[in-house]
Amino acid sequence: MSKYSHVVNVAVLVGLAFLGFQVFQAIFQPDSFGQYGRYRGDHLVEASSLSVLHRGDDYCLDCHDAEWDMADAKHATVPCENCHFLPGPHAIPVDKANSVDKAKAAGGKYVKIEIMPIDRTAQPCLNCHTFLPSRPVKFPQVKDGAKHIKDGWKKAMGEVKINSPCSRCHNSHFPKAYAKGVV
Amino acid sequence: MKRRKAAKRLESRREFIKIAANGMAGMLIVTLMPKSSWAQRIHQIEEMKHVPDWMDHYYAYVVDTTKCIGCGACVRACKRENNTPDGYFRTWVERYQITDTGHVYIDSPNGGHESFPPKDVEGKALKGFFVPKLCNHCRNTPCTQVCPVNASYETPQGVVLVDKQTCIGCGYCVQACPYDTRYIDPRTHTADKCTWCYHRVTKGLAPACVTVCPTKARIFGDLKVKNSQVREILDSQRVMVLKPELNTEPYCFYIGLDRAVR
């Protein structure tokens, strides 16, 4: 036995541990680990490749710019998707449509194949316009729904219908433009 | 012999007190050192270069609490966009009502998902406001520091993400977050949090909550773009962050924050 055997033993052990760690790392560490930092680099690509659901107003305006001439409207800042739900596949390009649908396109780029659902109850309106003390004071709010309808409706029709949706009197796109005969 | 020992001990005690005093003075100097100013931080951000190009952004988020009406559109949009489980929220809205009796009423029924029902309070409500909350995407992130498997990290764009493939669901980060923005997803048993809609912002879109906000109370943008809206606000307006005393350096800023907000 050489007098350095204890050093050799330790060196071999350290070497084995190092080798073992290298093997462990090669098997279990993802390839892209450390590409940008101490994390799996591929996750950045995975996280950014999820599908987008909310398209924003620009997406709707591609086809519906005529309906969207709302420069003066109070509701111009309200995105379409808040009331009209997510833009599902409700229209397809003309060249992909069948002959019956093609006739409906009337020269446009897209054909409507499905009607977009819309919640016509008062709930979408009340989400924003119920009176709450925490809301900004200048924001238009309805303190007493029954009274609001009674006052507005009486002037128009002379009768009270509590459960009528807001859209009976208010145009959702131009809320200040009331239905004919109201106020 | 005994006396010498005592003298030595005395000497060492004196040494100890000296060292302790020096150490304390040093610590005091460190705490009194001026923190980097906003201008310096912006300069550092502008100097950063990231490759590839789609990473060459540095995002920030501004919440204007004076404009928030508590409609809950952001909470609903976030739930749809990110498919978060029922009862768990990546973003939520808190309602504050402060009465003349001195009480501060704070509530957030179902995160503000169905807007807010009127609430009776004792006394007269003096002031009230809504405060939308979300992940603050801090620079000194307490949550990523405690992750034992490097599943939670900061991207070069300043977004804090969780890699669900790596996450073991230990929940350390959920406890570490001082803003309560993380949760363990009951479906995958991994940590989940707001990503500022990373899949949207990398495509040049705003996060879903920003897109649907009807009063534009939520603002998102790139600090590297000189004329971006967030940059203009942070340069010119009075902004605050949540829990500044924790020195987490959040990149989610608030306009019109009240001292009652926790």
Side-chain angles (χ1 to χ4, degrees):
Chain A
M1 288 288 276
S2 114
K3 62 177 179 178
Y4 295 115
S5 63
H6 64 291
V7 180
V8 174
N9 285 349
V10 170
V12 167
L13 278 176
V14 169
L16 278 176
F18 181 73
L19 211 69
F21 180 71
Q22 292 295 322
V23 171
F24 181 85
Q25 215 177 19
I27 296 170
F28 292 106
Q29 183 169 286
D31 291 340
S32 63
F33 190 90
Q35 193 180 352
Y36 305 110
R38 292 192 57 78
Y39 51 89
R40 199 166 59 89
D42 282 350
H43 181 247
L44 284 179
V45 182
E46 286 165 25
S48 59
S49 58
L50 298 173
S51 55
V52 170
L53 293 182
H54 292 78
R55 304 301 187 113
D57 289 350
D58 291 344
Y59 181 80
C60 311
L61 290 184
D62 263 359
C63 298
H64 299 282
D65 53 342
E67 286 98 320
W68 190 257
D69 192 15
M70 312 222 310
D72 310 324
K74 283 267 183 191
H75 275 178
T77 56
V78 182
C80 313
E81 287 156 333
N82 286 19
C83 307
H84 290 276
F85 297 103
L86 293 177
H90 64 286
I92 50 171
V94 168
D95 42 312
K96 284 184 185 170
N98 59 33
S99 56
V100 181
D101 286 339
K102 237 176 211 172
K104 284 191 237 163
K109 279 187 288 181
Y110 292 88
V111 190
K112 194 173 184 177
I113 53 166
E114 214 173 275
I115 293 168
M116 288 274 289
I118 183 160
D119 186 355
R120 291 194 186 278
T121 64
Q123 194 51 47
C125 313
L126 293 177
N127 280 343
C128 295
H129 294 289
T130 305
F131 174 79
L132 294 173
S134 298
R135 290 206 157 124
V137 181
K138 283 182 182 168
F139 188 75
Q141 300 162 63
V142 178
K143 201 164 194 173
D144 185 346
K147 190 173 175 293
H148 175 86
I149 291 176
K150 204 173 164 184
D151 290 356
W153 205 272
K154 242 185 184 169
K155 281 175 196 164
M157 321 284 186
E159 58 172 322
V160 185
K161 283 181 184 170
I162 299 298
N163 293 325
S164 297
C166 308
S167 57
R168 277 300 296 270
C169 299
H170 298 273
N171 181 326
S172 316
H173 289 166
F174 305 86
K176 281 279 178 195
Y178 301 102
K180 209 179 169 188
V182 180
V183 184
Chain B
M1 186 74 182
K2 252 184 184 175
R3 200 183 283 170
R4 199 184 284 173
K5 242 187 183 174
K8 210 175 180 184
R9 202 164 64 215
L10 197 73
E11 217 175 75
S12 68
R13 191 187 289 159
R14 181 172 291 161
E15 287 288 303
F16 171 76
I17 291 169
K18 260 189 193 171
I19 292 167
N22 283 345
M24 274 161 75
M27 272 155 70
L28 199 70
I29 288 169
V30 169
T31 50
L32 290 179
M33 270 200 308
K35 282 182 205 159
S36 60
S37 69
W38 177 246
Q40 282 170 325
R41 266 157 79 180
I42 281 285
H43 184 68
Q44 284 169 3
I45 288 168
E46 276 178 347
E47 291 296 298
M48 284 192 290
K49 283 275 176 290
H50 299 305
V51 180
D53 277 351
W54 64 271
M55 276 191 187
D56 207 15
H57 303 283
Y58 206 83
Y59 299 116
Y61 197 106
V62 176
V63 179
D64 191 344
T65 56
T66 59
K67 285 185 184 168
C68 182
I69 55 167
C71 65
C74 46
V75 184
R76 291 189 291 275
C78 178
K79 238 180 192 348
R80 282 194 296 260
E81 185 80 31
N82 300 301
N83 191 22
T84 54
D86 286 346
Y88 294 85
F89 302 94
R90 287 186 179 193
T91 183
W92 68 98
V93 181
E94 289 173 2
R95 168 167 61 182
Y96 286 74
Q97 287 184 77
I98 300 162
T99 63
D100 55 357
T101 55
H103 277 96
V104 182
Y105 292 86
I106 310 168
D107 68 339
S108 181
N110 200 18
H113 188 267
E114 289 92 27
S115 189
F116 289 81
K119 186 186 177 189
D120 291 329
V121 292
E122 257 179 61
K124 191 176 165 243
L126 288 179
K127 60 176 173 182
F129 44 86
F130 293 98
V131 180
K133 295 262 181 94
L134 68 155
C135 171
N136 284 245
H137 295 269
C138 316
R139 274 313 70 75
N140 290 334
T141 35
C143 55
T144 61
Q145 286 168 26
V146 297
C147 181
V149 291
N150 287 328
S152 191
Y153 62 95
E154 285 165 48
T155 74
Q157 301 109 308
V159 184
V160 178
L161 294 180
V162 180
D163 181 355
K164 288 200 171 191
Q165 199 177 310
T166 314
C167 179
I168 53 171
C170 65
Y172 284 172
C173 56
V174 179
Q175 292 181 38
C177 176
Y179 305 104
D180 290 342
T181 58
R182 286 174 171 248
Y183 59 87
I184 298 289
D185 191 326
R187 298 166 303 190
T188 57
H189 302 290
T190 54
D192 197 29
K193 68 181 281 298
C194 161
T195 61
W196 273 348
C197 284
Y198 194 72
H199 60 293
R200 296 174 62 89
V201 299
T202 47
K203 295 180 181 93
L205 297 162
C209 50
V210 177
T211 309
V212 300
C213 182
T215 55
K216 306 293 169 233
R218 289 170 176 255
I219 303 141
F220 180 83
D222 187 357
L223 287 177
K224 281 194 172 186
V225 179
K226 275 211 171 101
N227 55 359
S228 67
Q229 206 187 345
V230 281
R231 189 70 190 271
E232 274 171 24
I233 289 171
L234 295 178
D235 283 348
S236 63
Q237 293 202 34
R238 284 162 284 184
V239 291
M240 189 61 185
V241 293
L242 292 173
K243 301 186 182 175
E245 71 278 7
L246 296 179
N247 199 21
T248 53
E249 256 187 68
Y251 272 69
C252 178
F253 300 88
Y254 284 80
I255 300 173
L257 210 57
D258 193 87
R259 66 174 179 174
V261 178
R262 276 177 263 160

